[in-house]
Amino acid sequence: MKRWNVQQHDYDQVRQFAADLKVAPIVAALLISRGFDAAEHAYEFLNPSLSHLHDPYLLKGMKTAVARIMKAVENDEKILIWGDYDVDGTTGTVILRKCFEILGARTEFHVPHRFTEGYGVNIPALEAAKDRGCSLVITVDCGIRAFEPLEWARENGLDVIITDHHLSDEIKGNPAAVAVVNPNQTGCDYPDKNLAGVGVAYKLIEALFKETGKERFLKSFLKVVAIGTIADVMQLTGENRSIVTIGLADLPNAKNFGLKALMEVAGCTNEMTSYDIGFRIAPRINAAGRMDAALHVVELLEADSFGKARKLAEMLDSRNRERQTVQQKITELALFETEGITDRNFVVVSGDGWHKGVIGLAASRIAEKLHRPTVVISVENGIGHGSARSISGYHLLNGLESCAELFEQFGGHAAAAGMKIRAENIEALKEKLDLHASQNLSEEDLIPEIFIDAQLSPKSLNLDLVQNLKMLEPFGMGNPKPVFATGKLTIMDDPFVMKEKHLRLKLQDESGNRLEAVWWDGVERSQGQTLERGKRIEMAYSAEANTWNGTTRLQLVVKDLRMDS
């Protein structure tokens, strides 16, 4: 059972706001609860546009970066694009390469291998790039804390421009780069701090195209920028909302062979949503970095024929299936290690040789299931590589800093972190993190909470509701899909079990109207509850349209339910 946090509404305010904006009351209520209490701001939110994007030159370091790049283009220098191995980094690499192709520049790229090189910029690859004749390096989604490699670059005459969105070091400042373009660096007053790494790369392209009179190409880049932004779970508000909305709308018209092949293998053909990117496209791209080499993503999106793209897309699809199998195995092993843990406020589990590419996903699954901050550690040759995920109300990095002496290295933020630790320190880590969590989490914090946007009467449940909610898309971080609650619903038949883990429910309201609901992973999530014919329930759910055999019906997706009197 979860704690239900039900939003209360001032109905007079809702009616007035609905009239001002000419929208349905439910849309007005959701806008108000999400902080849009002025009609002007709400209208802008409902009508995202390229005109809402800020001037790229508001980014600190942009002017210097553009000047250095234009010099490189004019002098026919060879430029290395250095991208991170996740979706954000690889998509940013692709768009920068395309930009420089349009500008007539020579480029090559490097995406480090997760297991042989690790995260970020490293000296051996910089040295190799210099030996190949590169004189300028531009990073994507990394580099803001690469002090030692960038000092080496400076001493060896290799210019580096950093584009990143991670937090700069408050004490050390920025590394020794020619320019740093990062909205989150110290001293940058850029109005929107929520850009993804690929979004920062796009702002650089925006400035370069404005400089060279090539703005007409900008919109076509947003398809790839949207994918990277959603995949990196960035706030879908402000500039990101405009970027993602326009990019998603344009995706079905993609001419890029790689995009077309990827959408085909992922089963995305018609109207694209943030869900399609987050759960179909992004996992297939991410699987390359998790299971093998992320450079295949760049190769896919730069493929010069559909046949080549299709082979690469199928390879990524295969890697993703492999990732799912390995992830399930590691998660099961990790969950087995948690059995009997009933008195812990922080869960730490470890195993020999667990696949390092999926331990973060396993940590997410355990943190969600047990509603405890979680670290999953893979141990090889006496060294553990760990990935951590938190719950709301607990600052993960603060927890790790409370036992910093146990780590070889660590880093992260409130919600996620990574670490390297000697195997002999893992037991001490369990004790110290559990102590820190017990001092910083209340009993209530350890009960999962569900935020409910509004209580709806059954008569509101129809396809018009789904149509109205489309105005608020794309949904994601900062703009979650609305969750509603409705009571006095009767279960008409025993739940139908699908694939041994999901539940389909047939319900009826007090007026005799029939409703259908699906509860993903409902077999596990409903444990401890008796769901049988005749039981009356109150249900928390999201609403969607489900089309089958040409017929479209309302489908309620269960988030939680409880018995109703």
Side-chain angles (χ1 to χ4, degrees), residues 184-373:
N184 294 306
Q185 68 177 300
T186 306
C188 182
D189 297 325
Y190 193 70
D192 197 325
K193 303 293 188 182
N194 294 311
L195 288 171
V198 68
V200 178
Y202 177 78
K203 299 307 289 188
L204 177 59
I205 294 169
E206 198 179 346
L208 287 165
F209 281 173
K210 283 184 175 180
E211 200 73 23
T212 54
K214 296 184 179 352
E215 295 100 322
R216 64 189 180 279
F217 293 111
L218 280 169
K219 185 182 174 186
S220 64
F221 282 71
L222 291 177
K223 295 185 284 293
V224 175
V225 183
I227 291 171
T229 300
I230 294 169
D232 214 44
V233 199
M234 302 309 295
Q235 297 270 337
L236 295 190
T237 55
E239 278 191 295
N240 286 343
R241 180 169 172 80
S242 295
I243 287 168
V244 169
T245 302
I246 296 162
L248 285 176
D250 204 25
L251 261 173
N253 308 317
K255 302 284 193 295
N256 180 285
F257 293 126
L259 277 180
K260 289 173 74 172
L262 190 59
M263 288 191 289
E264 200 172 274
V265 299
C268 301
T269 51
N270 302 316
E271 185 181 358
M272 297 285 285
T273 66
S274 53
Y275 176 89
D276 293 312
I277 301 301
F279 291 91
R280 293 179 175 175
I281 300 293
R284 287 169 169 84
I285 297 177
N286 241 336
R290 291 189 184 282
M291 307 305 293
D292 190 40
L295 63 89
H296 297 313
V297 176
V298 181
E299 292 170 350
L300 168 73
L301 296 175
E302 293 185 350
D304 56 9
S305 72
F306 185 75
K308 192 184 293 183
R310 179 72 198 203
K311 283 180 182 174
L312 283 162
E314 285 171 354
M315 185 263 284
L316 294 187
D317 190 49
S318 171
R319 288 283 183 276
N320 189 48
R321 287 196 299 274
E322 181 188 342
R323 187 271 307 166
Q324 289 171 323
T325 302
V326 172
Q327 180 189 339
Q328 184 176 354
K329 178 185 173 186
I330 299 303
T331 303
E332 285 173 358
L333 287 169
L335 280 168
F336 180 76
E337 294 291 323
T338 69
E339 285 187 9
I341 297 179
T342 56
D343 57 347
R344 290 274 174 179
N345 292 315
F346 199 123
V347 175
V348 179
V349 292
S350 62
D352 290 332
W354 287 357
H355 196 295
K356 288 185 287 187
V358 300
I359 54 175
L361 300 170
S364 292
R365 181 77 180 90
I366 294 167
E368 181 192 0
K369 181 179 172 64
L370 302 181
H371 201 67
R372 300 286 190 278

Side-chain angles (χ1 to χ4, degrees), residues 10-264:
D10 179 332
Y11 289 102
D12 289 335
Q13 184 190 14
V14 167
R15 277 191 289 270
Q16 184 59 53
F17 206 50
D20 291 345
L21 288 169
K22 297 181 173 56
V23 297
I26 186 62
V27 174
L30 291 167
L31 286 167
I32 292 168
S33 68
R34 290 170 192 218
F36 295 96
D37 51 1
E40 180 188 349
H41 294 142
Y43 183 83
E44 189 173 297
F45 180 81
L46 293 175
N47 298 278
S49 157
L50 277 177
S51 65
H52 298 159
L53 269 57
H54 304 296
D55 181 349
Y57 283 102
L58 293 175
L59 280 158
K60 181 181 176 183
M62 183 64 82
K63 192 173 180 180
T64 307
V66 169
R68 179 63 185 90
I69 290 167
M70 293 310 298
K71 179 186 170 189
V73 174
E74 287 163 19
N75 295 337
D76 195 32
E77 296 178 53
K78 192 193 283 188
I79 303 168
L80 175 72
I81 313 297
W82 185 303
D84 185 28
Y85 47 60
D86 67 1
V87 183
D88 196 10
T90 50
T91 51
T93 300
V94 167
I95 64 168
L96 273 183
R97 289 255 291 172
K98 187 65 180 175
C99 163
F100 288 131
E101 181 188 315
I102 292 169
L103 294 176
R106 288 190 299 142
T107 68
E108 53 181 65
F109 74 93
H110 181 73
V111 177
H113 195 287
R114 180 190 288 259
F115 306 123
T116 59
E117 293 179 78
Y119 172 78
V121 184
N122 65 72
I123 293 172
L126 286 179
E127 194 168 4
K130 187 174 187 299
D131 291 344
R132 292 192 305 271
C134 294
S135 54
L136 175 62
V137 178
I138 304 172
T139 73
V140 182
D141 192 36
C142 60
I144 196 65
R145 297 193 180 214
F147 295 98
E148 188 181 344
L150 265 71
E151 186 59 38
W152 179 93
R154 188 182 65 81
E155 290 172 355
N156 287 273
L158 186 60
D159 285 351
V160 180
I161 293 170
I162 295 171
T163 76
D164 202 347
H165 68 135
H166 296 102
L167 295 174
S168 57
D169 190 304
E170 289 184 9
I171 298 169
K172 291 184 180 180
N174 291 336
V178 169
V180 176
V181 181
N182 179 347
N184 294 306
Q185 68 177 300
T186 306
C188 182
D189 297 325
Y190 193 70
D192 197 325
K193 303 293 188 182
N194 294 311
L195 288 171
V198 68
V200 178
Y202 177 78
K203 299 307 289 188
L204 177 59
I205 294 169
E206 198 179 346
L208 287 165
F209 281 173
K210 283 184 175 180
E211 200 73 23
T212 54
K214 296 184 179 352
E215 295 100 322
R216 64 189 180 279
F217 293 111
L218 280 169
K219 185 182 174 186
S220 64
F221 282 71
L222 291 177
K223 295 185 284 293
V224 175
V225 183
I227 291 171
T229 300
I230 294 169
D232 214 44
V233 199
M234 302 309 295
Q235 297 270 337
L236 295 190
T237 55
E239 278 191 295
N240 286 343
R241 180 169 172 80
S242 295
I243 287 168
V244 169
T245 302
I246 296 162
L248 285 176
D250 204 25
L251 261 173
N253 308 317
K255 302 284 193 295
N256 180 285
F257 293 126
L259 277 180
K260 289 173 74 172
L262 190 59
M263 288 191 289
E264 200 172 274

